[in-house]
Amino acid sequence: MNITQEERDAVYKTIFSRRDVRREFKSDTIPQDVLERVLLAAHHAPSVGFMQPWDFIIVQSPESKAKIKQGFLHAHAEATELFEGHRKEDYKSLKLEGIEEAPLGICVTCDRSRTGSVVLGRTAKPEMDLFSSVCAVQNLWLAARAENLGVGWVSIIHDHVIRDTLNIPESIDIIAYLCVGYVDIFHDTPDLERSGWLPRRDVSSAVHFESWPHSK
């Protein structure tokens, strides 16, 4: 099945307009059919050995969100002390999560034992199942954007907080905690670029041919 130019353009538009959302969440409920489409897209991510190691935990209760928010605040305070000077003040000024503002959270996990100890394609690179689960996150993120849903990845939190709050066994790896919901606006540029934290690299600086570039 060939992709039409209109369909191609829609894919690129979705990719380039995807944002990590932290502050613009609305309280509007996400319709069940929309959520199911987004999760189905995530479930169709590529996976090593077709092992499909992911699971998705939907988080809606205020109690669970409050516990996760407290975990973020603790980890955020730790992170603040790692920066110095104006960088510390810049960091403290950033809005870096929407845990309680977003109508729901989605925790994406990875069961590395799902299809046994020997997995086709994982024999030389054992972390491929983790990478597969990250592909599911990206599928979810792009599908959410196509549904005009914002997504924010909360990485400033220790795994044990999410594990304890959501009763996740030690044998299951935690890949991502995502805040998901409709938003007031999708900005033209990422928050960190807009705030001056870092600029976007030109793609030409990231593309090399045949070998790693020699240091100058």
Side-chain angles (χ1 to χ4, degrees):
M1 179 189 301
N2 289 330
I3 299 294
T4 67
Q5 181 174 334
E6 183 179 359
E7 291 168 334
R8 181 201 67 189
D9 292 346
V11 170
Y12 282 110
K13 179 179 179 180
T14 302
I15 291 170
F16 294 140
S17 63
R18 181 211 57 81
R19 294 288 172 264
D20 192 353
V21 177
R22 289 86 174 264
R23 66 174 72 251
E24 292 86 7
F25 286 111
K26 301 195 292 187
S27 60
D28 301 28
T29 300
I30 301 172
Q32 186 65 25
D33 62 324
V34 172
L35 178 59
E36 289 175 357
R37 284 197 297 269
V38 168
L39 292 173
L40 183 61
H43 187 58
H44 276 70
S47 64
V48 65
F50 202 51
M51 69 180 294
Q52 305 157 75
W54 46 71
D55 284 277
F56 309 99
I57 304 173
I58 310 302
V59 180
Q60 295 176 293
S61 80
E63 294 78 15
S64 293
K65 290 180 183 179
K67 291 178 182 178
I68 292 169
K69 177 64 176 281
Q70 286 304 308
F72 163 81
L73 292 174
H74 177 76
H76 183 265
E78 291 177 336
T80 300
E81 297 308 311
L82 300 176
F83 296 98
E84 297 180 351
H86 73 86
R87 208 57 162 170
K88 176 181 286 191
E89 295 308 309
D90 290 345
Y91 178 80
K92 288 165 64 176
S93 71
L94 296 170
K95 167 74 168 165
L96 296 175
E97 52 75 39
I99 296 166
E100 293 183 305
E101 296 93 329
L104 61 84
I106 301 177
C107 180
V108 182
T109 62
C110 178
D111 182 353
R112 308 192 71 184
S113 65
R114 173 146 297 159
T115 58
S117 59
V118 180
V119 177
L120 186 158
R122 198 181 66 176
T123 51
K125 202 170 180 66
E127 63 270 30
M128 285 300 297
D129 48 6
L130 300 173
F131 298 163
S132 298
S133 298
V134 174
C135 287
V137 172
Q138 181 74 334
N139 268 24
L140 186 156
W141 213 330
L142 293 175
R145 182 62 186 89
E147 299 282 357
N148 287 314
L149 290 169
V151 176
W153 188 329
V154 181
S155 60
I156 306 171
I157 189 168
H158 295 293
D159 277 357
H160 70 82
V161 175
I162 297 174
R163 192 178 303 282
D164 293 346
T165 302
L166 304 182
N167 300 311
I168 299 172
E170 290 287 340
S171 60
I172 302 298
D173 279 60
I174 295 168
I175 302 299
Y177 185 87
L178 307 172
C179 304
V180 183
Y182 291 107
V183 298
D184 288 319
I185 187 174
F186 286 98
H187 292 287
D188 291 336
T189 55
D191 281 0
L192 294 182
E193 182 180 8
R194 203 169 59 256
S195 69
W197 185 262
L198 280 173
R200 183 181 294 281
R201 292 174 65 197
D202 189 282
V203 65
S204 63
S205 69
V207 178
H208 318 294
F209 295 93
E210 305 298 346
S211 68
W212 190 261
H214 296 294
S215 300
K216 294 183 179 179

